[in-house]
Amino acid sequence: MKVPFLELRPTYEELRAEMDAAYRRVMESGFYLFGGELDAFEREYAAYCGAKHCIGVGNGLDALHLILRALEIGPGDEVIVPSQTFIATWLAVSYAGATPVPVEVDPRTANLAPERLEAAVGPRTRAILPVHLYGQPADMDAIRAVAQKHGLKVIEDNAQASGARYKGRRTGALGDAAGHSFYPGKNLGAFSDAGAVTTHDDALAERVRALRNYGSRRKYVHDLKGFNSRMDELQAAFLRAKLRRLDEWNERRRRIAARYLEALRGVPGLILPHVPDWAEPVWHLFVVRHPERDRLQQKLAEAGVGTLIHYPVPPHLSGAYADGGWKRGAFPIAESLADTVLSLPMGPHLTEAQVEAVIGAVWQASESLAAAIA
């Protein structure tokens, strides 16, 4: 059986009537930017996250960048970021003109390790930017305790965790602001790039609204040096339809993750994800680790199982940050994760047969590798 890593078409097939109706609503309205669909989505998603405000923007990177700009974090400032994450987290800081300061992650969860934060706080530190990586919340209370001690802002990177809960509270409303991505492959995905900012802060929300639209609060009156980062009406309409199914789809992901965790326990060499008691992940990705990751991936490919690596190069070793002067060994936990992580197929439309095929293929491939090593 062929099991692709991810299929997006089934989301449309399941919601065909709702998606087609959303398309017709927008086309017939004659409004394609800043219309009723965006207004409605912003209200609905803010309520979903438990935040006072939601501001739709062009993508998840812009969401983080505009938060930093709205907080007037820029040249001369430092922002603490995880050592291993998708590079957009770091790029947002760089776009604002500030300096990303990496802190090692917890090797069990790949999320920012709160106990390492104190050592990274300096006189130029302005904010901490934790990532809810792979759909699992970071330890926000511990992170906020450090932030409050030093007068720092906390900005959540919620790109992979729409609907996740930390101690019963949804991510996206646990810091001063949060950036969200609705890239098509996300748990809540648009049919193009799209993103959002959520916050309780009235002033920050007002600045982000202006910054996303050329710095304008009134048409052709520009109070700030802004940007063009606007969620269009089509994406807002599609996201409204998907938002109504998000909890159901996340629950399907949880059932698949539970089956993987049960059935893959004891696989030779395989390290399964660790979930703290206070976390309710939404399993954007199901990421295992293996010392022979590349060979395991090849064997799974030969068995018809698609996988991806999230992420093979930690930001500090990327060409984009070569000017930082970091060498291999600077952040050993991030580097170890990059060398060993492998994402198995995960999504709300995987069938039971496909899940069982993945489990069987992982067992067979891992046992074969163990035998070869022995």
Side-chain angles (χ1 to χ4, degrees), residues 94-170:
S94 298
Y95 283 4
T99 300
V101 175
V103 168
E104 283 278 48
V105 296
D106 183 332
R108 301 171 303 165
T109 64
N111 279 331
L112 199 58
E115 66 274 10
R116 299 176 184 269
L117 290 173
E118 285 277 358
V121 176
R124 297 194 298 159
T125 308
R126 291 284 309 282
I128 304 173
L129 212 171
V131 180
H132 305 307
L133 197 66
Y134 305 148
Q136 175 158 287
D139 191 351
M140 291 299 294
D141 284 352
I143 291 169
R144 283 185 63 82
V146 176
Q148 289 167 1
K149 178 180 177 181
H150 296 280
L152 308 176
K153 298 295 185 180
V154 176
I155 303 164
E156 297 172 80
D157 184 336
N158 200 49
Q160 300 183 4
S162 291
R165 292 183 186 270
Y166 170 78
K167 298 183 180 179
R169 296 167 288 160
R170 279 214 173 99

Side-chain angles (χ1 to χ4, degrees), residues 9 45 73 79 95 150 171 175 190 202 208 226 233 261 272 276 281 288 312:
R9 184 179 175 87
Y45 193 64
I73 293 173
V79 177
Y95 283 4
H150 296 280
T171 57
D202 295 342
V208 170
E233 285 287 283
L261 289 169
L272 295 173
V288 299

Side-chain angles (χ1 to χ4, degrees), residues 337-354:
L337 289 168
D339 291 341
T340 58
V341 294
L342 186 66
S343 300
L344 301 181
M346 170 56 73
H349 297 94
L350 277 178
T351 66
E352 289 185 15
Q354 287 177 316

Side-chain angles (χ1 to χ4, degrees), residues 215-289:
S216 174
R217 297 178 175 92
R218 290 184 297 137
K219 197 171 184 67
Y220 301 134
V221 178
H222 304 276
D223 303 312
L224 303 169
K225 292 174 181 172
F227 305 87
N228 176 11
S229 182
R230 304 177 292 195
M231 183 190 295
D232 66 66
E233 285 287 283
L234 266 178
Q235 301 313 320
F238 292 146
L239 287 168
R240 291 183 68 200
K242 285 190 169 186
L243 181 59
R244 299 182 189 110
R245 305 296 285 274
L246 179 58
D247 284 344
E248 176 189 340
W249 286 352
N250 282 343
E251 187 55 37
R252 293 185 202 172
R253 290 173 179 268
R254 289 188 181 101
R255 288 197 294 267
I256 293 167
R259 177 60 184 150
Y260 279 159
L261 289 169
E262 171 192 49
L264 295 176
R265 190 172 291 111
V267 171
L270 201 71
I271 300 174
L272 295 173
H274 169 75
V275 181
D277 293 340
W278 40 256
E280 296 177 47
V282 290
W283 300 104
H284 172 58
L285 298 169
F286 189 92
V287 181
V288 299
R289 298 179 64 188

Side-chain angles (χ1 to χ4, degrees), residues 20-32 37 232-234 237-238:
D20 291 352
Y23 171 81
R24 287 192 298 271
R25 270 199 324 272
V26 173
M27 292 297 103
E28 293 169 3
S29 75
F31 288 91
Y32 308 119
E37 296 293 339
D232 66 66
E233 285 287 283
L234 266 178
F238 292 146

